[in-house]
């Protein structure tokens, strides 16, 4: 019913930047809280940043002041600007959203993930 598709990952040197995008498509009525998570090899998936429908944001301490989450509700798209990247930011980044659909249901959706690799 709903698909989340991430893009923008890649390989970058330490100190570099990337911009991730997550496009939502399908039978969408509204996007509620949206977030980015990441999972490094051998580690649990962790929350990176979250943005509520009204624009309030919250960040993991490890990325605060380096990453910026934003959303374009008209385009049903979520973004994550990654600056001053460090090797420890290397992970698969996943988009997540609480999305209301036209049939009246509200549930969590996940994207397939995009790889971010930072070399030292």
């Amino acid at each position: 019913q709903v698909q989340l598709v991430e893009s923008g990952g890649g390989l970058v040197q330490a100190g570099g930047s990337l911009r991730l995008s997550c496009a939502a498509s399908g039978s969408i009525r509204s996007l509620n809280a949206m977030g980015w998570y990441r999972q490094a090899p051998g580690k649990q998936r962790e929350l990176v940043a979250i943005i509520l429908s009204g624009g309030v944001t919250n960040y993991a301490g490890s990325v605060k002041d380096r990453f910026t989450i934003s959303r374009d509700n008209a385009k049903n798209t979520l973004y994550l600007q990654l600056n001053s990247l460090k090797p420890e930011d290397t992970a698969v980044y996943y988009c997540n959203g609480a999305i209301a659909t036209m049939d009246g249901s509200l549930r969590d959706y996940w994207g397939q993930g995009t790889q971010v690799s930072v070399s030292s």
Side-chain angles (χ1 to χ4, degrees):
Q1 243 183 339
V2 173
Q3 280 192 321
L4 297 180
V5 179
E6 301 101 331
S7 60
L11 174 62
V12 64
Q13 287 189 330
S17 298
L18 286 172
R19 189 191 195 207
L20 306 183
S21 299
C22 171
S25 63
S27 183
I28 297 169
R29 183 160 58 91
S30 65
L31 303 181
N32 297 297
M34 302 287 293
W36 288 96
Y37 291 72
R38 67 185 181 186
Q39 187 166 19
K43 294 189 177 181
Q44 289 190 334
R45 190 174 298 188
E46 63 175 359
L47 176 66
V48 174
I50 189 168
I51 183 167
L52 304 184
S53 56
V56 174
T57 60
N58 197 20
Y59 296 89
S62 60
V63 307
K64 198 171 183 180
D65 299 327
R66 297 190 298 122
F67 293 5
T68 302
I69 189 171
S70 61
R71 60 194 289 166
D72 185 333
N73 291 329
K75 295 183 178 180
N76 287 339
T77 301
L78 178 71
Y79 303 99
L80 186 68
Q81 179 68 40
L82 297 76
N83 296 331
S84 303
L85 281 161
K86 304 176 181 179
E88 52 263 43
D89 294 318
T90 295
V92 178
Y93 284 69
Y94 297 91
C95 172
N96 170 266
I99 300 174
T101 50
M102 293 300 186
D103 65 359
S105 65
L106 173 66
R107 52 156 286 196
D108 249 18
Y109 291 87
W110 289 91
Q112 82 288 351
T114 186
Q115 176 71 46
V116 171
S117 299
V118 185
S119 62
S120 56

